[in-house]
Amino acid sequence: MDFQTSDGIQLNYQVAGSGQPVVLIHGFGGYQQIWCLQVPELVQQGYQVITYDQRNHGASGHTPDLDSVDRLIDDLHELLVGLKIDRPFLIGHSMGAAEIYGFLKQYPDFPLRGAIAVDQSPKMINTLQWHYGYMDITRASYRLKLREHGNVRETLNGVPKQVLDKLAPEKAMFPFVRAENLPLLYDHAKRDRRSAIEGAKVPLLLVTANQSPYFDGRFADVMQAANPDFVSHQAIDQTGHVVMAEQADRFNRVMDEFLKENK
């Protein structure tokens, strides 16, 4: 199915199940099929699950020169309002998690049940006072390092064949061109979303990966300490960045527990 945004872009989305809505948000260069091991689990637990390809990703429409994550946050808001999704949970991975942080700041009055952010520091650029950014990037180096990307293995031991089989046809039909979307990545990298977490007024679970190639999970302890009434932290072992695919059973247990506690 397709949803049209206020500026005429078609967002491809899928809905499964019925009940309390849960919206799943993929990251930079991702596809909605990355959540294929969560959708059946959520449906079985009695939730309505909404996945979608973000603008410039997958089967959704493209905007030339997309250079702001704010547009993606607005897309999410428009999708929620347009589909009349009532008091959803939001679950986002990587840049999708950063969009949740931004959503909490840009739309503080939108009614949410809660949110889960998967392996995403709220501030990617390291400084003398903040050591929990993306790898070792700094304001001086982030564009060069993100452009080159390097030989970083995103996962610890790969992802299951079931996930690869779901992703393969989508990647073949809708290849993601990283170079064309670097302005979006640069904007994502330079944002500081810490105040959004510090000021969160809905339950927010930060899920980190013990073997993440990108982030030191201790950022989540810092953020939890800053807002202990609403922010919690769960670290998952034996996984790289793509936690929900690499350690689906463990992630699903953590997810199920959080949703039940806040339903």
Side-chain angles (χ1 to χ4, degrees):
M1 293 180 283
D2 287 323
F3 172 82
Q4 184 167 301
T5 65
S6 58
D7 63 342
I9 295 297
Q10 300 290 326
L11 299 181
N12 183 267
Y13 72 96
Q14 299 177 18
V15 179
S18 60
Q20 169 69 46
V22 179
V23 181
L24 305 177
I25 311 163
H26 67 74
F28 180 79
Y31 299 78
Q32 60 187 303
Q33 288 75 17
I34 194 64
W35 300 104
C36 66
L37 299 181
Q38 282 66 57
V39 173
E41 169 70 16
L42 289 165
V43 170
Q44 184 180 22
Q45 295 295 328
Y47 297 97
Q48 180 189 61
V49 187
I50 300 95
T51 64
Y52 70 105
D53 285 328
Q54 300 206 63
R55 175 187 300 245
N56 283 30
H57 292 74
S60 290
H62 284 233
T63 301
D65 304 319
L66 177 64
D67 62 359
S68 176
V69 177
D70 289 344
R71 179 63 252 189
L72 302 184
I73 296 170
D74 290 340
D75 287 346
L76 172 59
H77 181 255
E78 290 179 18
L79 184 70
L80 297 177
V81 172
L83 299 184
K84 297 181 172 59
I85 299 173
D86 183 39
R87 294 183 65 81
F89 286 102
L90 303 181
I91 304 179
H93 173 243
S94 198
M95 185 179 71
E99 289 164 43
I100 291 175
Y101 305 152
F103 188 93
L104 293 173
K105 192 78 167 182
Q106 289 178 219
Y107 297 100
D109 297 325
F110 189 93
L112 298 174
R113 286 283 186 188
I116 302 176
V118 185
D119 207 44
Q120 177 62 57
S121 171
K123 177 175 168 56
M124 291 178 64
I125 292 179
N126 294 285
T127 66
L128 292 175
Q129 295 76 35
W130 180 257
H131 308 289
Y132 307 112
Y134 178 91
M135 301 179 71
D136 61 350
I137 67 170
T138 64
R139 183 159 294 278
S141 69
Y142 79 97
R143 286 178 177 262
L144 175 63
K145 294 202 171 185
L146 290 173
R147 184 170 67 247
E148 292 182 344
H149 197 47
N151 296 316
V152 179
R153 182 180 173 87
E154 189 166 76
T155 64
L156 183 62
N157 294 305
V159 300
K161 184 177 184 298
Q162 182 180 349
V163 178
L164 294 176
D165 288 346
K166 289 286 188 180
L167 288 171
E170 303 303 316
K171 289 184 174 184
M173 287 187 293
F174 309 110
F176 180 78
V177 183
R178 181 185 174 88
E180 293 177 0
N181 289 282
L182 283 174
L184 175 64
L185 184 59
Y186 295 154
D187 182 68
H188 166 43
K190 70 184 182 184
R191 299 300 185 104
D192 183 351
R193 307 282 190 189
R194 289 177 293 180
S195 65
I197 299 176
E198 293 165 355
K201 299 300 182 185
V202 299
L204 174 61
L205 172 62
L206 305 177
V207 175
T208 59
N210 283 351
Q211 288 77 34
S212 174
Y214 300 141
F215 300 112
D216 180 337
R218 289 177 294 179
F219 79 81
D221 296 325
V222 174
M223 301 317 303
Q224 182 180 17
N227 187 358
D229 291 337
F230 290 98
V231 178
S232 55
H233 174 210
Q234 283 276 358
I236 296 182
D237 199 26
Q238 294 303 302
T239 181
H241 184 55
V242 194
V243 184
M244 64 285 186
E246 296 180 64
Q247 289 291 338
D249 289 344
R250 174 62 178 149
F251 177 84
N252 287 353
R253 287 196 297 272
V254 168
M255 174 183 69
D256 289 345
E257 182 178 331
F258 176 83
L259 298 182
K260 287 175 183 175
E261 286 178 355
N262 297 286
K263 194 170 182 180

